[in-house]
Amino acid sequence: MTEKFMSTEWIRLVGKQWDTHQEIQKDLKNFNATWEYYIEDRPDIPHVMLFCKAGKIIYAGPSDGRHRDFIMWTNLGHWKKILSGEISGKSALMTRRLKFKGSMMTAMKYMTPFNIHLNILGEIPVDFNI
């Protein structure tokens, strides 16, 4: 079953999938952060977010106004390439195809879990017809 990209249902599946990845939980066991995602060229689609505490997702859903440590956005075409693996997370960041607000130093420190995180986004069957 596929979910609409950036929907509440999709981000909740992302959170569940995250919690099945032992490597990301191990690498982020002492890490707490919130991520917000949105589609730059689709302002009609609400932003979604994840809240990670000690490596586990404790919230996945619509952006609710809480503090966000990281915000990531790009246009729909680039999201498709990132989720398909055509563009790696690191490459997307370095070429500014994926825009990023937050501590770049922290992102670089946690580049392995960051890439796993982007791979997880792509593991969820998604419908881009939004």
Side-chain angles (χ1 to χ4, degrees), residues 10-21:
W10 173 79
I11 199 67
R12 287 185 178 146
L13 289 173
V14 168
K16 287 179 182 178
Q17 187 71 2
W18 172 299
D19 285 341
T20 68
H21 283 262

Side-chain angles (χ1 to χ4, degrees), residues 58-99:
I58 62 168
Y59 176 81
S63 185
D64 61 7
R66 76 179 84 191
H67 169 79
R68 283 116 34 234
D69 298 292
F70 304 101
I71 303 172
M72 291 184 280
W73 70 98
T74 191
N75 64 49
L76 186 57
H78 285 147
W79 274 122
K80 289 177 183 179
K81 290 179 181 179
I82 293 165
L83 270 60
S84 73
E86 185 178 333
I87 303 173
S88 74
K90 185 175 183 177
S91 174
L93 275 177
M94 295 303 154
T95 60
R96 304 260 318 133
R97 290 181 185 140
L98 178 62
K99 285 129 182 140

